[in-house]
Amino acid sequence: MISNLGFGALIIAFIVSLYGIVTAILGQRKNNFQLVESARSAMQLTFPLITITAISIIILLVRGNYEVQYVYNVTSNAMPTYLKITALWGGQSGSLVFWAWLMSAFATAVTLRKWDRDRDLLPWVIVVSLITLAFFLIMIIGFENPFRRFWFSADGQEMVAMFQPAGSQLITPQDGRGLNPLLRHPGMIIHPPMLYLGFVSFVIPFAFGMAALITGRKDDRWIRLTRRWTLVAWMFLSIGLVLGSRWAYDVLGWGGYWAWDPVENAAFMPWLTGTAFLHSVMIQEKRGLFKRWNVILIIMTYLLVILGTFLTRSGVLSSVHAFAQSAIGPLFFVFIAITMLVSIALLITRWGDLASEGQMTSLLSRESLFLINNLLFVGILAVVFWGTVYPLISELLTGQKVTVGPPFYERSTGPLFAGLLLLMGVAPLSAWGHSTWKTLGKAMWKPAIATLVVLIGMAIGGVRNPGAFLGLGLSAFVIFITLYEFWRGMRARHKRSGENYLEALIKLAGRNRRRYGGYIIHLSVVLMAIGILGIEVFQTETQAKLAQGESVSLGGYTVMYKSLAEFDVNDGRNVARAVVDVYKDGKYLGELNPRRDYYYDSQQPMTIPGVRSTLEDDLYIILVNWEQISSRGATFKIFHNPLINWLWIGGIVLILGSFIAAWPDAEKEVPVAVSNKRKNQKTQTAASTD
Amino acid sequence: MDEVNVLNETPKKGGQIKFLIGGALIIAAIVLLIFTNTKAGAQYFLTVDELIDRQDEMMGKEVRISGAVLGDSIDYNTDTLVLHFSVAHVPGDNKDIEAAGGLAFVLHQAVNDPSLNRIPVEYVGVMPDLLRDEAQAIMTGKMGDDGVFYAEELLLKCPTKYEEAVPEQSS
């Protein structure tokens, strides 16, 4: 019953999408705005319809209707309710529904705004959004239907079908397989929706970009309208990537966080073009340059989003993430190919309209440095894309599958990332239009001296690794420059207005949220870079079999094995939990509990490290093995991961910076404080309807 | 490459040359990075059969192989963290695997078919949680003179139990 309801809503949503596409095009052709309005209503109707589908799946999951294949695959009786709900995106077909649901929500949100100024764009935004949505819906309906059930046919065969085959009976298993224990982690529960939010939000600027291309509008209206969408999309994608890393670090027990696997790359690639886009749109806004390039970037981002959603499920590339493969491969490549061809054709048609309004003159100008920034981002994209598809290329050309491992990515992207770090320091100091070494040097010399002090400090502290010098040196440089920028702005405001420093700082950032939010995001990226450098360059490890009371030392810590207990937990786990004492310089710091959980339902062990996390370093202990009867000896693997915590802290700062940057700007400074507030409120409400 | 042209529309004589040169230099550097590192970092992705066929050629070279884990052969020394196990041949091509009935089925067949080629593997480190009978092991390492594959990296896939979104295990 619920299955049929959910499936029916899905089909109606698909039909409504098709209706919306056709009416929007017709309405635009005939200049009949009633038809466009009807298309808009169709767009808005998809959201409640897909909501019905999503809620149907959730009800089935929570009730444990194991006759439904999807429910059987991703839940089990032993799972707590919240995990049953989040199992909506625990498998392929559910996550596609979830994707479509978000997509319809976002597209609806867009169509709810006032369109008075941009009436001409509306039908095309609807068309592009609905085509994307319809594509996902047909994928779900045709290939990935989450409502298929198990049937026992008349001739004794087990089968999976949506509707009851003649003479068959429903099979209802008593329990499901359950979500893989490795995925039962907070990071893994939030990580997919964050990625999807990021993916889906990027469809909106793409839809506007296409609408601008089709209507032939030359202005940057589409960019201004979708600026916040882009930033929010970028933020969610960033959070998704960081959470995925965190999950790998916490759960996979190898002390790492990123493996350059095709699946990871697939999520990383749209992030790269999206980041380039975020920067280069500013040049179009300020200087009227790079119009074609911006359109190219948003097209690439959209295509990479679609690619990222399907690549690893299409069976074309082998990944260690063993996603279920399905028949969606060919259709999905056809969709990408058509989108690409249509986008390129449109771009060529409008090529002349998108000419720059001026040209760059100074190599050190802001726009020139942004251009380099874009080249570097696209360069990293080229590296990652090349590495990801290299097995396919090599097989095509030589008949022999050849892969490239993490060293390829690290060596190729390392210099490019270093270049980006340097730019992050220099570019904010340069001026639009024209800069010289002299003006740059004037703004830079103080932070440069501070950086030198840090480098000397590192050398005295015993650091010898050139990569660490370069990376941490650049990081320090960017931090100093950024803080110095804050300081200069704050001081100038303090002198001018007489506000105290804190007030001046808050108002300064409030007046120019995009700029200072951007600086905070830069700081966050540098913090992450420090975390990555810390673990990549300075990680050490050891392993030891310890009898009770014995200890082992690593990275200044001493770890003493105290005891081990094995017990059953009522959620279907057997836990082996060790107690170790941690000392540093002879001082007792506390105990850690590395453990091994064994899940009875899925017959799978799961290693959970004991981690002592500080700003300076992580002590990361894995229980490898133990003597089961006597519990006397146990083997541990221990990692010392310096600075890794800054990677996660950077992730939090990034969210903060994104919020500041995305928050509507007050448009003008008004001298009187009272009218200031009022004005603020006004412009904010005005902007939020934007 | 196109980017430079795209970015520097309608160049006037003189002023834009430096941007073209600068952009070209950066693009050349990126291409060079990709090219040299591909050469240095390339690993042949082989099946067990292919590795055995080309044993002499591949000796001492870093290669990536995949195979089905034989549960009975798993032997882990927890004092030294030295892990031994054997893998049986499975086809390398996704299409072949799908045609033969899916990965889970292929792995099951491989483990139970003694006529297939097998390779002993040695790996030092924490035994991955997913290492078990009929799992697919994807390993990077070198073939030794003694016919043992010395793995430096060990990744596992277990399609039998979890068809959906099974994550990697790496070391």
Side-chain angles (χ1 to χ4, degrees), chain A residues 665-684:
Chain A
D665 249 335
E667 269 170 24
K668 255 189 225 156
E669 287 214 25
V670 179
V672 190
V674 182
S675 70
N676 217 345
K677 245 183 214 162
R678 247 201 351 251
K679 174 98 186 171
N680 253 341
Q681 279 167 353
K682 246 193 225 158
T683 45
Q684 275 184 22

Short mmCIF file of all heavy atoms in Angstrom, two decimals, chain A residues 665-684:
data_model
loop_
_atom_site.label_atom_id
_atom_site.label_comp_id
_atom_site.label_asym_id
_atom_site.label_seq_id
_atom_site.Cartn_x
_atom_site.Cartn_y
_atom_site.Cartn_z
N ASP A 665 24.67 41.52 2.27
CA ASP A 665 25.45 42.70 2.61
C ASP A 665 24.53 43.88 2.84
O ASP A 665 23.53 44.03 2.17
CB ASP A 665 26.36 43.06 1.43
CG ASP A 665 27.80 42.79 1.77
OD1 ASP A 665 28.12 42.80 2.97
OD2 ASP A 665 28.59 42.57 0.85
N ALA A 666 24.92 44.73 3.78
CA ALA A 666 24.27 46.02 3.83
C ALA A 666 24.80 46.81 2.64
O ALA A 666 25.97 46.74 2.32
CB ALA A 666 24.63 46.73 5.13
N GLU A 667 23.91 47.55 1.97
CA GLU A 667 24.36 48.12 0.71
C GLU A 667 25.22 49.36 0.85
O GLU A 667 26.18 49.56 0.14
CB GLU A 667 23.15 48.39 -0.19
CG GLU A 667 22.87 47.21 -1.08
CD GLU A 667 21.55 47.33 -1.80
OE1 GLU A 667 21.08 48.45 -1.99
OE2 GLU A 667 21.00 46.26 -2.16
N LYS A 668 24.84 50.24 1.76
CA LYS A 668 25.59 51.49 1.89
C LYS A 668 25.87 51.75 3.35
O LYS A 668 25.13 51.34 4.22
CB LYS A 668 24.75 52.64 1.34
CG LYS A 668 25.21 53.13 -0.01
CD LYS A 668 24.44 54.40 -0.33
CE LYS A 668 23.95 54.38 -1.76
NZ LYS A 668 22.81 55.24 -1.96
N GLU A 669 26.93 52.46 3.58
CA GLU A 669 27.17 52.92 4.93
C GLU A 669 26.32 54.15 5.19
O GLU A 669 26.25 55.05 4.37
CB GLU A 669 28.64 53.30 5.09
CG GLU A 669 29.53 52.08 5.15
CD GLU A 669 30.71 52.32 6.06
OE1 GLU A 669 30.59 53.17 6.97
OE2 GLU A 669 31.72 51.65 5.87
N VAL A 670 25.65 54.14 6.34
CA VAL A 670 24.86 55.31 6.70
C VAL A 670 25.45 55.85 7.98
O VAL A 670 25.71 55.10 8.92
CB VAL A 670 23.38 54.91 6.92
CG1 VAL A 670 22.57 56.13 7.31
CG2 VAL A 670 22.83 54.27 5.66
N PRO A 671 25.72 57.15 8.03
CA PRO A 671 26.49 57.70 9.14
C PRO A 671 25.84 57.53 10.51
O PRO A 671 26.53 57.25 11.48
CB PRO A 671 26.66 59.18 8.79
CG PRO A 671 25.71 59.45 7.66
CD PRO A 671 25.45 58.15 7.00
N VAL A 672 24.53 57.69 10.61
CA VAL A 672 23.92 57.65 11.95
C VAL A 672 23.62 56.20 12.33
O VAL A 672 23.07 55.44 11.54
CB VAL A 672 22.62 58.48 11.98
CG1 VAL A 672 22.15 58.63 13.41
CG2 VAL A 672 22.87 59.83 11.34
N ALA A 673 23.97 55.88 13.56
CA ALA A 673 23.88 54.49 13.99
C ALA A 673 22.45 53.97 13.95
O ALA A 673 22.21 52.83 13.57
CB ALA A 673 24.46 54.33 15.39
N VAL A 674 21.48 54.81 14.35
CA VAL A 674 20.11 54.34 14.45
C VAL A 674 19.55 54.00 13.06
O VAL A 674 19.04 52.92 12.82
CB VAL A 674 19.21 55.40 15.12
CG1 VAL A 674 17.79 54.88 15.25
CG2 VAL A 674 19.78 55.75 16.49
N SER A 675 19.72 54.95 12.17
CA SER A 675 19.19 54.72 10.83
C SER A 675 19.96 53.57 10.17
O SER A 675 19.46 52.88 9.31
CB SER A 675 19.32 55.98 9.98
OG SER A 675 20.67 56.22 9.70
N ASN A 676 21.17 53.40 10.63
CA ASN A 676 21.98 52.29 10.18
C ASN A 676 21.27 50.96 10.38
O ASN A 676 21.16 50.14 9.48
CB ASN A 676 23.25 52.29 11.03
CG ASN A 676 24.43 51.88 10.20
OD1 ASN A 676 24.25 51.36 9.12
ND2 ASN A 676 25.61 52.13 10.70
N LYS A 677 20.80 50.79 11.59
CA LYS A 677 20.13 49.53 11.93
C LYS A 677 18.91 49.31 11.05
O LYS A 677 18.69 48.25 10.51
CB LYS A 677 19.69 49.59 13.39
CG LYS A 677 20.41 48.58 14.28
CD LYS A 677 19.87 48.64 15.67
CE LYS A 677 20.97 48.35 16.67
NZ LYS A 677 20.63 48.78 18.01
N ARG A 678 18.12 50.40 10.95
CA ARG A 678 16.91 50.27 10.17
C ARG A 678 17.23 49.90 8.73
O ARG A 678 16.63 49.02 8.15
CB ARG A 678 16.13 51.58 10.24
CG ARG A 678 14.83 51.41 10.98
CD ARG A 678 13.79 52.47 10.69
NE ARG A 678 14.20 53.59 9.93
CZ ARG A 678 14.34 54.83 10.45
NH1 ARG A 678 14.21 55.02 11.73
NH2 ARG A 678 14.65 55.85 9.67
N LYS A 679 18.19 50.61 8.25
CA LYS A 679 18.62 50.39 6.86
C LYS A 679 19.04 48.92 6.67
O LYS A 679 18.68 48.26 5.71
CB LYS A 679 19.78 51.33 6.56
CG LYS A 679 20.40 51.10 5.22
CD LYS A 679 19.85 52.10 4.21
CE LYS A 679 20.37 51.77 2.85
NZ LYS A 679 19.75 52.52 1.82
N ASN A 680 19.80 48.49 7.65
CA ASN A 680 20.25 47.10 7.62
C ASN A 680 19.11 46.12 7.46
O ASN A 680 19.13 45.23 6.63
CB ASN A 680 20.97 46.76 8.93
CG ASN A 680 22.45 46.67 8.71
OD1 ASN A 680 22.87 46.50 7.57
ND2 ASN A 680 23.22 46.77 9.76
N GLN A 681 18.11 46.35 8.33
CA GLN A 681 16.98 45.42 8.30
C GLN A 681 16.30 45.45 6.95
O GLN A 681 15.97 44.44 6.38
CB GLN A 681 15.97 45.81 9.39
CG GLN A 681 16.39 45.29 10.75
CD GLN A 681 15.59 45.91 11.85
OE1 GLN A 681 14.79 46.82 11.62
NE2 GLN A 681 15.78 45.42 13.06
N LYS A 682 16.13 46.71 6.47
CA LYS A 682 15.46 46.86 5.19
C LYS A 682 16.18 46.12 4.07
O LYS A 682 15.60 45.33 3.35
CB LYS A 682 15.36 48.33 4.85
CG LYS A 682 13.93 48.85 4.83
CD LYS A 682 13.92 50.20 4.17
CE LYS A 682 13.08 51.18 4.96
NZ LYS A 682 13.44 52.56 4.67
N THR A 683 17.47 46.41 3.99
CA THR A 683 18.20 45.81 2.88
C THR A 683 18.25 44.30 3.03
O THR A 683 18.28 43.58 2.06
CB THR A 683 19.64 46.34 2.80
OG1 THR A 683 20.18 46.33 4.10
CG2 THR A 683 19.69 47.71 2.21
N GLN A 684 18.24 43.87 4.27
CA GLN A 684 18.28 42.41 4.44
C GLN A 684 17.00 41.75 3.97
O GLN A 684 17.04 40.72 3.32
CB GLN A 684 18.53 42.06 5.90
CG GLN A 684 20.02 42.07 6.21
CD GLN A 684 20.30 41.64 7.61
OE1 GLN A 684 19.49 40.97 8.22
NE2 GLN A 684 21.45 42.03 8.11
#
